[in-house]
Each structure stands twice: as structure tokens, then as C-alpha cells.
Amino acid sequence: MSKGPVMVSAEETAKNKAFMEQMAASGTERYIRRHSKQARWTHGITIIACILLCISGLFVFVPALAAAVGADTVFAIRMSHRVLGVIFVLVPLISAIMAPKGVKHIFKNLFDRWDSDDKKWMMLFFPYLFMAKWIHMPDQREVKSGQRFADGMLWFSGALMGITGVVLLLGTTLFDFGGGVYGVMLFLHDIGFLLIAVFGLAHIFLGAGIFQPYRGTAKLMFGDGTVSESDALYHWGHWARQEIASGENVIEKKA
């Protein structure tokens, strides 16, 4: 993990420019592999389960909605909510067991220190969403500073929802924890829902490329997991230069 900006000499810049011109002439373009197939599948299944859980949870826990659809429909939704909850909990756990180094890498990025580039990026973030053509953002590492905070909150709220959901499920099927425990778990479950609703929507807005600077980023998780060299340098300059220098995750595709 880089602890500061990667310095690029004038000679190296000239070599990079010449290489890019050569690549353009050959009809190929370099890409950097950013997300593995396992990470993309885990992300996709979890996010679909999460969205369906939020929708079904409204009918399970909001009396007015439950009354509107009737008892039989609520029963079916409640059962589906439990099945989806099991998927939401088990898929990330199984994926983490299969790739513990990947989990370690994720949390290392989340808790990495903030440098001057990170702080400046956060200060410019909201104007940048609407005026990207006129604002130059500082280079970022593998995970941007704002993304570290937002993703951290999603991990926290997801864990809160998962743990409280398991307790609620066990308390209504195998055990009787009492009304006090059930009330506390339900309250924390609601808090987790609110956090996921806020940070999940922000994640979707940016990840789906709704704002101009992030157009096309949905392909990172719902495509082949690669990003073009030019986009990588634009969004994650420090990380991209490290990857280009190592060459381990760099591939060539026809332009």
C-alpha cells in the first residue's frame, strides 16, 4: 500500500505517452483487473438480496403496509424475508472463508490513513459531481477517501442487520429470548435499515454512474471487473501507477 504520491519523472511521462501512442496505433488498449469474479458474484448476490430484504421488510415491519396487502400475502413475504436474510448472511461469510486474504485487503483499505490528497478530494467532492469539467481532483489510492467512509458504514450496517436478523429469526423459531431482547433487536434492526437506505442509495447513485464523472463504473462490478488504463489513472491515479508498474493485473484488449 502506498504511503504517499507516486512521483513520475518527465522521462517516464514521455515514455508513457509514447507507449500510449504505440498502443493506439496497434488497435489495442490496456486494462487493469480491479475485481475478481468471486468479488463480483458476491457483490451482485448480496446487493440483490439486500434490496429485496429492504422491500419485503417494509411489509413485515410496517403495520399499515401489512394491513394493505392482507395476512396471506404478509405471511409469504415474511417467509421470503427469512430466506433472503439467510442468503444475505451466508454468501459474504462463505466468500470470506474462501478468500481470507481478500477480506484482509478490503479492511486494510477501509482503515488506511488519510493523506493530504484524501482530504482535498473530500473537500471538492460535491462540487465535482456537478462541475467535473472544471475541477481537477487529486490522485487517489485503490479506494477513495469518501468511499472508505461510505463502504465502512455499509459494512457496519450490513453486519448490524445480519446479526440482529439472525437473533430475531432464532427468537421466533427455536428460542424465546423474551420481549425485552426482541424489542432491542428490532430497534437495532431498524437502525441498520436506515443506515443501509442512506449509504446504500449513495453507493448505487455513484456506482451506477448517474453522475457524469462516474459514467461506466457499473461495469466494474457488473462487467468483467476490469477498468481501462485511462479511467484508472483518472479515478485512482496512485493505485493505477502501482498496478502499471507491477504489470501483474494489466491486460490488453482490442480497442
Side-chain angles (χ1 to χ4, degrees):
M1 181 62 64
S2 173
K3 297 303 180 183
V6 177
M7 302 303 295
V8 182
S9 66
E11 181 182 359
E12 186 66 25
T13 300
K15 288 182 179 179
N16 289 341
K17 182 179 179 181
F19 180 83
M20 294 299 292
E21 291 174 350
Q22 179 183 352
M23 294 289 288
S26 66
T28 59
E29 185 177 357
R30 287 203 301 190
Y31 284 75
I32 301 175
R33 186 176 293 105
R34 185 166 171 84
H35 299 299
S36 68
K37 182 180 292 185
Q38 179 181 332
R40 300 196 306 275
W41 274 97
T42 302
H43 177 271
I45 295 171
T46 304
I47 197 172
I48 290 171
C50 182
I51 292 172
L52 293 176
L53 279 168
C54 289
I55 296 172
S56 59
L58 291 174
F59 288 91
V60 173
F61 296 109
V62 178
L65 291 175
V69 298
D72 291 341
T73 303
V74 169
F75 177 79
I77 293 175
R78 185 185 297 275
M79 293 303 104
S80 69
H81 190 80
R82 292 177 177 182
V83 173
L84 290 166
V86 171
I87 295 173
F88 180 76
V89 172
L90 284 184
V91 168
L93 283 178
I94 294 172
S95 184
I97 292 171
M98 292 174 61
K101 290 183 179 180
V103 177
K104 181 180 178 181
H105 183 71
I106 289 172
F107 280 90
K108 183 178 180 181
N109 279 333
L110 289 180
F111 293 101
D112 199 8
R113 68 178 183 84
W114 285 36
D115 58 22
S116 58
D117 283 346
D118 292 319
K119 296 171 185 176
K120 183 178 179 182
W121 191 92
M122 281 301 297
M123 291 175 62
L124 295 172
F125 174 65
F126 285 106
Y128 168 68
L129 289 179
F130 304 98
M131 299 183 292
K133 291 183 179 180
W134 296 278
I135 296 178
H136 174 72
M137 298 295 276
D139 284 347
Q140 290 284 278
R141 284 166 283 175
E142 184 174 359
V143 181
K144 296 179 180 180
S145 48
Q147 185 183 352
R148 281 178 237 159
F149 173 72
D151 285 0
M153 291 302 297
L154 281 175
W155 276 90
F156 170 76
S157 55
L160 182 62
M161 291 285 283
I163 293 170
T164 55
V166 168
V167 175
L168 289 171
L169 176 60
L170 293 176
T172 55
T173 53
L174 300 177
F175 305 102
D176 182 8
F177 296 123
V181 172
Y182 181 85
V184 171
M185 290 297 107
L186 186 58
F187 174 75
L188 293 175
H189 205 64
D190 290 342
I191 294 297
F193 168 77
L194 291 174
L195 289 173
I196 279 186
V198 173
F199 290 99
L201 283 174
H203 185 80
I204 291 171
F205 263 82
L206 296 178
I210 293 174
F211 292 96
Q212 191 277 330
Y214 296 97
R215 296 279 164 80
T217 53
K219 293 184 291 185
L220 291 176
M221 274 299 183
F222 297 99
D224 63 0
T226 63
V227 58
S228 68
E229 184 180 60
S230 57
D231 284 346
L233 287 167
Y234 176 75
H235 287 290
W236 308 279
H238 297 324
W239 169 78
R241 292 189 183 95
Q242 289 179 351
E243 292 294 335
I244 292 168
S246 71
E248 184 178 351
N249 294 310
V250 178
I251 58 177
E252 291 184 10
K253 297 181 184 180
K254 290 185 177 180

